Amino acid sequence: MKKNNAMKKTVLVTQTKLNVTSDRFNVMHAPLISIQPLDVEEAFLKHEYDWLILTSKNAVKLFLPYMEDLKFSKIGSIGEKTTEVLVNNGYTVDFEPSVYTQEGFIEDFPLHDERVERVLYPTSRAARPHLKDYLESHGVTVDKLSIYEPVDNVGSMEKIREEMDDIDILTFSSPSGVKVFMKYIEPELLKEKPVISIGAVTKEKLDEYGVPSISPEKATLESMYELINEKFEV
């Protein structure tokens, strides 16, 4: 027998839209971050790159107009969604790490198995420097190209503040999203609610605010939703 909406738990999804329907949960979409494209100097097009590294689907979508004229040998991708956008646009992904983080990329990347001299890294202006620093420490020239920057989605935060009492389960899929959330909501308000984090870095950021969370084995929204279905009952 179906439960009516009043009896369902409400799950807050704070990033990419999750297209699911459920008899058990209401899914409330409120992305915490909006993407602001940046002007890009095209001087990078004169170079030849051993690897083009893309770490988000936002980076792929914004960088696609430049890829046809870019000279590069291989593509590295972080995450299923990043790879999916590349493949859907006719590109072959040569490397994807088993764990969808910069740390996972570093752990699996075949840096010592081949000659890697120059890498192009189009990404967010706010991207953590971990991957870039690692490659440069091993003698690789890294052209980090800031092609967008994250900005607070104030409309989403207003919506969350208004409906916070009715939200039963919260989900976070990036450390930057956690930082935005905590600008507007006291961490103490999350202590009595289950929190799901996607990825180790997101979990660590929540830990910094004293907010415990659990994580799915795979760092995807789909795995997150499967975990919610397994762990929580109406």
Side-chain angles (χ1 to χ4, degrees):
M1 178 178 173
K2 286 189 175 183
K3 298 179 182 296
N4 60 42
N5 286 346
M7 297 175 65
K8 292 183 179 181
K9 287 185 180 296
T10 295
V11 178
L12 173 65
V13 175
T14 57
Q15 197 170 9
T16 308
K17 187 173 179 62
L18 180 63
N19 294 314
V20 296
T21 57
S22 173
D23 291 334
R24 300 174 59 208
F25 301 104
N26 292 315
V27 178
M28 172 182 166
H29 294 101
L32 303 179
I33 293 173
S34 297
I35 298 302
Q36 179 67 49
L38 299 173
D39 292 333
V40 176
E41 293 283 345
E42 296 186 20
F44 64 88
L45 290 173
K46 68 182 181 182
H47 299 297
E48 293 188 16
Y49 295 95
D50 299 301
W51 283 86
L52 169 64
I53 297 177
L54 293 154
T55 60
S56 74
K57 66 178 184 179
N58 288 321
V60 176
K61 289 176 179 178
L62 290 173
F63 196 66
L64 276 172
Y66 303 98
M67 289 180 64
E68 187 174 343
D69 296 323
L70 183 68
K71 302 180 184 69
F72 63 93
S73 299
K74 295 183 177 181
I75 296 178
S77 165
I78 294 183
E80 287 183 354
K81 298 300 182 183
T82 309
T83 297
E84 183 179 306
V85 178
L86 284 162
V87 171
N88 287 345
N89 282 277
Y91 291 95
T92 298
V93 172
D94 300 282
F95 171 76
E96 180 184 293
S98 55
V99 177
Y100 302 149
T101 62
Q102 290 189 36
E103 288 80 4
F105 194 99
I106 290 168
E107 182 70 24
D108 294 347
F109 188 58
L111 181 61
H112 304 294
D113 297 340
E114 59 183 86
R115 187 176 180 181
V116 182
E117 294 185 348
R118 193 170 198 132
V119 165
L120 181 61
Y121 181 28
T123 188
S124 164
R125 177 176 282 171
R128 295 183 302 134
H130 196 41
L131 177 56
K132 179 177 183 291
D133 291 348
Y134 170 79
L135 292 171
E136 289 181 337
S137 73
H138 286 77
V140 179
T141 298
V142 180
D143 292 349
K144 179 179 179 292
L145 193 65
S146 296
I147 58 175
Y148 68 91
E149 63 181 352
V151 294
D152 297 3
N153 190 326
V154 178
S156 284
M157 288 311 310
E158 290 176 350
K159 177 182 178 181
I160 292 169
R161 287 176 67 95
E162 291 173 0
E163 301 189 30
M164 190 65 188
D165 289 344
D166 297 322
I167 296 171
D168 299 293
I169 302 168
L170 297 95
T171 71
F172 295 92
S173 50
S174 72
S176 53
V178 174
K179 289 174 67 175
V180 170
F181 189 94
M182 299 305 174
K183 288 182 188 179
Y184 300 86
I185 305 289
E186 290 294 323
E188 287 72 22
L189 295 179
L190 279 66
K191 297 293 179 63
E192 303 302 320
K193 299 176 185 283
V195 176
I196 314 296
S197 56
I198 295 182
V201 181
T202 305
K203 185 176 181 64
E204 288 170 6
K205 181 58 66 176
L206 284 163
D207 288 343
E208 289 179 17
Y209 291 96
V211 177
S213 65
I214 60 174
S215 302
E217 185 174 339
K218 202 169 186 180
T220 64
L221 284 169
E222 290 76 14
S223 295
M224 174 201 75
Y225 193 68
E226 289 174 7
L227 177 64
I228 292 171
N229 273 302
E230 291 172 4
K231 294 288 186 183
F232 304 104
E233 296 181 357
V234 176

